[in-house]
Amino acid sequence: MREIKLFNSNTILSSSKYGNSAMYEQEQQIQKRRIKKLQWFFVFVLIFGYIAAALAQTVGGNQTYTTTSTFEPTIKDAVKLGDLPEIKDTVKKIANINYGIASTPLVSKYEVIPIDAAKMQNEPLSKLYRSLLKIGMGTYTTPYGEFWINSIRTRDVAYGAHIKHISSSSHLKDVGYSGYSDNEGEIFGKKFYKKHTLTGEFNYKRNVVHFYGYDTTENNLSKDYTKQRYQLFEPVIKVQSHYTDSTKINHFIKLGYHNLTDIYHVAENNVKLNTLFNTYINKERLFVAFDADFYNHKLPNDTFNDMIIRLNPYFETRGKKWMADIGLAATVDMYTGESAKFYFHPQLNAQFDVYESIIIPYVGINGGLQKNSLRSLSNENPFISSVINYKNSNTKFNVFGGLKGNLSSKTSYDAKASYSIVDSMHFFVIDYTQNGTLDNQYKVIYDNTNLFNVSGQVKYQYKEKVHFIAKGNYYLYDTKNLERAYHKPDYDITLSTVYNLKSKIILKADVFVIGNQFALTQVENNFKYTTEPKLMKGIVDVNIGAEYRYSKMMSFFVNFNNIANTRYYRWEKYPSQRFNLMAGLTFIPF
């Protein structure tokens, strides 16, 4: 039998459900009548609803109904869309996924047994010796000796003594007797308290030189006639605090006295007090320096005094990569026979670590009053006359800037440029005004000077095996009245190195270079004597030395000085020794 499907009103009829076609037709007619009835029913409902609504409006007429309610209708603001489209990133960041394999052994092969921690004992301290003796002998009949003695390691006190002697009986060609003798001694002691350290020392020096800068073809004088001797006595006492509490005032106090005399009965007495106090105010550190310097100078027929008082407060502050201090120094100078002079000098220093202590630029400005005395001038030039003019030098200001840092853990550097204005800078010239003399003693003259200086330094040190340092200065002097800056070199260079070969052989080398300089010399022109500048060539002095450590108790040394065998002049008319050698030994007596 073939299946017939009819789709009408979502009803599916199949002829297989009825017995014959007559019954099927009859059923179809019944369905059609039902559908028509439903259609008429819906039409009647729509017409009735329309009539009811019209009657309701007719019956109600124009009646008004009023109702009350707490509800207040409001209209919300419209949401405004921006003109620019907004792009939303639909990319989601996926967290990093780490893959790994965690393996766990089924059965442990070893059983861990805990052990006690090792107990570290204090490292043994290096052994200290009480004394050291160094003796030698050199060419030009040059004996040398040096001796140290001190206490061994203690918690409460430390004390010791040191003496040194070196002399020469040299006779240089075409000049007078050039022998010299340097002697010095020192006794010191320290007492350690809980918060302070008390230090006392006594220094003694006796230096003998000869004014040998004259022509022996015209004069043949004994060495006693040209002898000059400087003798110094200097006791010093110092007190220093060690407070760790930032609210305390740390302090350093130094009181010293020295007496210096020469063979011509010229003497100077100097009492000097130096103090420094510092404490914290909030995060800044306040420093206050106070100095008092009384100077008495005695000549055979005259005497004068000079009193210098200086007060210098300044603040120091620092950050993670920078540091600075700022202050002002006030100085009063009271000289015999003159009214008091007041000076004010600025103080500013600042530095900044640009990159891990490799590049550290710094700038600053300072100044100060420098006392020129018999001690300071004779230390610089021992061939000065006993009767000289004394005047203090005033550095109005000194402006500087530079770079410093560490190129590595072994190498450091410092490069600096400065400009300063100095009133009464001192210069040495031969005194040609003293009739009947040998014209071989220096006097001191003064002039206002502007000074430009460029300096640099490089240092390399590898443990205790290699040590090297190179430093140099270039000077440009601009004097107001003098034609030249006499006996002030254009530049100076110093090279120094030490090589330690397994603490058995120590090699040393030094090179000293001094540039050209001018001296004020006397010339004869038509039986008249005048003075004019004279160019003096530069100096190169090369020295090498070696030490062989035979044992911890004994070693041998040899030094070669001026190996170029040149005869140079640091001071006009005073030549240096040529090549000289010294050999000796060092040992520990006890």
Side-chain angles (χ1 to χ4, degrees):
M1 180 183 297
R2 189 176 63 178
E3 183 179 17
I4 300 174
K5 295 183 179 180
L6 300 175
F7 296 88
N8 189 4
S9 302
N10 297 326
T11 303
I12 301 176
L13 300 178
S14 177
S15 61
S16 61
K17 186 178 178 180
Y18 303 100
N20 49 45
S21 59
M23 294 180 61
Y24 175 73
E25 293 291 336
Q26 185 179 0
E27 184 64 23
Q28 287 287 82
Q29 294 295 329
I30 294 172
Q31 292 292 343
K32 290 179 180 181
R33 286 194 296 268
R34 289 177 179 174
I35 291 171
K36 290 182 178 180
K37 291 180 179 180
L38 289 173
Q39 292 174 351
W40 285 108
F41 174 77
F42 286 112
V43 171
F44 176 77
V45 171
L46 292 174
I47 294 172
F48 179 78
Y50 177 78
I51 295 171
L55 291 175
Q57 292 182 2
T58 304
V59 174
N62 294 325
Q63 294 179 1
T64 301
Y65 297 91
T66 303
T67 62
T68 59
S69 174
T70 60
F71 172 72
E72 294 181 359
T74 58
I75 299 176
K76 296 183 178 180
D77 293 337
V79 178
K80 299 179 181 179
L81 299 178
D83 295 334
L84 298 177
E86 180 181 358
I87 301 175
K88 295 184 179 181
D89 190 2
T90 58
V91 179
K92 296 182 178 180
K93 184 178 180 181
I94 302 176
N96 294 330
I97 301 175
N98 297 323
Y99 298 91
I101 300 176
S103 59
T104 304
L106 295 176
V107 179
S108 177
K109 295 181 179 181
Y110 303 98
E111 182 179 359
V112 178
I113 301 175
I115 60 175
D116 296 335
K119 296 181 179 180
M120 299 296 294
Q121 296 181 352
N122 295 331
E123 293 185 4
L125 298 174
S126 58
K127 185 178 180 180
L128 297 181
Y129 298 93
R130 291 183 179 273
S131 61
L132 178 66
L133 177 63
K134 191 174 183 179
I135 56 176
M137 189 68 185
T139 55
Y140 295 101
T141 316
T142 307
Y144 162 74
E146 202 163 1
F147 179 69
W148 295 266
I149 184 171
N150 54 264
S151 62
I152 57 176
R153 187 180 291 110
T154 61
R155 292 180 177 271
D156 299 327
V157 295
Y159 53 87
H162 169 234
I163 57 175
K164 178 182 178 181
H165 168 82
I166 184 171
S167 62
S168 177
S169 301
S170 59
H171 292 266
L172 303 180
K173 185 179 179 180
D174 299 331
V175 292
Y177 177 75
S178 58
Y180 66 89
S181 174
D182 292 335
N183 301 275
E184 60 183 74
E186 175 189 6
I187 301 174
F188 69 90
K190 288 185 178 181
K191 174 65 176 178
F192 304 103
Y193 297 94
K194 187 175 181 180
K195 299 294 183 181
H196 290 82
T197 299
L198 176 64
T199 304
E201 61 185 55
F202 180 82
N203 301 312
Y204 171 78
K205 291 183 179 181
R206 185 179 186 273
N207 306 108
V208 177
V209 296
H210 290 81
F211 296 106
Y212 65 91
Y214 64 92
D215 189 356
T216 56
T217 59
E218 298 179 358
N219 298 282
N220 189 8
L221 305 173
S222 67
K223 61 181 180 181
D224 291 335
Y225 184 81
T226 59
K227 182 179 179 180
Q228 170 66 294
R229 184 206 67 237
Y230 300 101
Q231 186 167 247
L232 173 74
F233 297 90
E234 183 182 28
V236 178
I237 187 170
K238 295 181 285 188
V239 177
Q240 185 173 6
S241 65
H242 307 287
Y243 294 125
T244 57
D245 187 353
S246 60
T247 61
K248 299 287 187 178
I249 299 178
N250 272 302
H251 48 272
F252 171 79
I253 302 173
K254 177 182 177 181
L255 179 62
Y257 165 80
H258 81 253
N259 170 262
L260 177 64
T261 59
D262 74 350
I263 201 171
Y264 299 102
H265 306 291
V266 175
E268 71 175 24
N269 297 280
N270 184 211
V271 179
K272 193 171 184 179
L273 173 67
N274 301 102
T275 64
L276 180 63
F277 304 89
N278 69 88
T279 187
Y280 282 92
I281 299 178
N282 295 328
K283 294 183 179 181
E284 284 73 33
R285 199 173 183 182
L286 172 64
F287 290 82
V288 178
F290 175 79
D291 302 327
D293 190 348
F294 175 76
Y295 178 77
N296 168 259
H297 189 86
K298 291 184 178 181
L299 298 171
N301 300 320
D302 194 9
T303 183
F304 62 86
N305 301 320
D306 187 17
M307 183 71 178
I308 301 175
I309 298 176
R310 175 175 173 267
L311 179 64
N312 177 210
Y314 62 94
F315 278 96
E316 180 185 276
T317 182
R318 62 181 63 209
K320 186 177 181 181
K321 289 190 174 184
W322 60 273
M323 181 178 67
D325 63 78
I326 183 171
L328 180 67
T331 307
V332 57
D333 185 9
M334 294 174 287
Y335 196 84
T336 300
E338 297 182 3
S339 58
K341 298 179 181 179
F342 294 88
Y343 303 93
F344 297 93
H345 301 99
Q347 177 179 334
L348 174 64
N349 298 279
Q351 68 178 40
F352 181 78
D353 187 356
V354 175
Y355 181 70
E356 296 182 353
S357 297
I358 297 176
I359 302 176
I360 305 176
Y362 62 91
V363 294
I365 180 172
N366 54 32
L369 186 68
Q370 175 188 351
K371 182 182 68 179
N372 295 312
S373 64
L374 177 64
R375 183 178 185 180
S376 64
L377 297 175
S378 63
N379 285 339
E380 185 177 354
N381 182 357
F383 308 111
I384 60 174
S385 172
S386 295
V387 183
I388 59 177
N389 181 26
Y390 292 94
K391 186 182 295 186
N392 297 328
S393 301
N394 175 35
T395 301
K396 290 184 175 180
F397 67 86
N398 173 43
V399 182
F400 62 89
L403 287 175
K404 64 180 179 179
N406 299 314
L407 300 178
S408 67
S409 59
K410 308 177 187 65
T411 308
S412 61
Y413 72 94
D414 188 358
K416 177 182 177 182
S418 65
Y419 178 78
S420 56
I421 297 179
V422 184
D423 286 348
S424 301
M425 178 179 286
H426 71 276
F427 302 92
F428 296 100
V429 296
I430 290 180
D431 188 0
Y432 294 103
T433 61
Q434 296 182 8
N435 297 326
T437 65
L438 300 175
D439 295 332
N440 60 349
Q441 297 185 19
Y442 281 82
K443 67 178 181 179
V444 183
I445 58 177
Y446 303 88
D447 194 12
N448 297 340
T449 307
N450 299 338
L451 172 60
F452 176 71
N453 172 234
V454 178
S455 63
Q457 176 176 301
V458 177
K459 181 179 179 182
Y460 174 84
Q461 183 168 0
Y462 177 67
K463 298 181 180 178
E464 296 183 356
K465 188 174 182 179
V466 179
H467 176 83
F468 172 79
I469 184 170
K471 57 183 179 180
N473 288 277
Y474 170 76
Y475 307 95
L476 181 61
Y477 295 91
D478 181 17
T479 54
K480 182 178 180 180
N481 299 313
L482 297 178
E483 188 174 352
R484 298 288 182 177
Y486 299 112
H487 283 291
K488 300 290 186 181
D490 294 337
Y491 62 88
D492 60 70
I493 300 174
T494 302
L495 305 175
S496 179
T497 182
V498 178
Y499 179 71
N500 187 335
L501 183 59
K502 297 182 179 180
S503 296
K504 200 69 176 178
I505 299 176
I506 311 298
L507 303 176
K508 302 178 181 179
D510 298 292
V511 180
F512 303 98
V513 181
I514 298 178
N516 296 335
Q517 57 182 330
F518 283 90
L520 185 63
T521 189
Q522 188 179 63
V523 295
E524 181 182 358
N525 186 10
N526 295 327
F527 303 101
K528 293 183 179 180
Y529 291 94
T530 59
T531 57
E532 63 181 28
K534 173 186 175 181
L535 178 64
M536 299 175 61
K537 295 183 179 180
I539 299 169
V540 178
D541 191 352
V542 181
N543 310 310
I544 60 175
E547 178 183 1
Y548 171 68
R549 295 179 177 176
Y550 178 76
S551 67
K552 292 184 178 181
M553 307 291 290
M554 180 178 292
S555 64
F556 302 90
F557 69 90
V558 59
N559 295 324
F560 305 92
N561 301 319
N562 194 7
I563 61 176
N565 196 31
T566 58
R567 183 177 184 176
Y568 58 81
Y569 293 79
R570 176 61 183 92
W571 306 105
E572 187 190 10
K573 295 188 176 185
Y574 287 89
S576 68
Q577 295 180 351
R578 293 183 182 270
F579 171 78
N580 61 86
L581 177 149
M582 177 175 288
L585 60 89
T586 301
F587 66 95
I588 299 174
F590 52 88

